[in-house]
Amino acid sequence: MEAKSIYIATIHMKSKIDWDKSSGNEWSFVGEGSDFKELEVQEFIDSYFTEDELYLVIDRHNSFAIPKSKSGAEV
């Protein structure tokens, strides 16, 4: 699947997401730069997705399949 098609599909699917709020918020800060909590992110990804391969969407020109085991480092 090409990057643009993946991006368009995610726009369509976003309207179907039922966001869970944690502590009254839809967002969780997981650090930045050297403070990025990669292990925490990877554990969440592993617990949420059952597939071994995920599609990571950056923008309409940069979307690709990635092994779930490496996705925490790429987010």
Side-chain angles (χ1 to χ4, degrees):
M1 197 176 224
E2 70 178 60
K4 188 175 180 181
S5 297
I6 297 169
Y7 178 79
I8 291 169
T10 60
I11 290 174
H12 174 71
M13 296 303 292
K14 278 198 284 189
S15 65
K16 298 180 179 193
I17 296 173
D18 183 19
W19 294 103
D20 289 333
K21 290 188 177 185
S22 176
S23 303
N25 196 345
E26 295 174 348
W27 299 92
S28 296
F29 182 70
V30 291
E32 64 179 329
S34 61
D35 294 328
F36 179 66
K37 301 173 187 168
E38 183 180 331
L39 181 59
E40 183 178 323
V41 171
Q42 188 64 52
E43 287 173 351
F44 176 79
I45 291 169
D46 290 340
S47 71
Y48 191 82
F49 295 101
T50 57
E51 298 82 5
D52 291 330
E53 185 176 69
L54 305 174
Y55 284 103
L56 182 60
V57 179
I58 307 300
D59 59 34
R60 73 175 54 238
H61 305 291
N62 191 8
S63 304
F64 49 90
I66 185 171
K68 179 174 72 169
S69 61
K70 296 182 180 184
S71 58
E74 293 289 329
V75 193

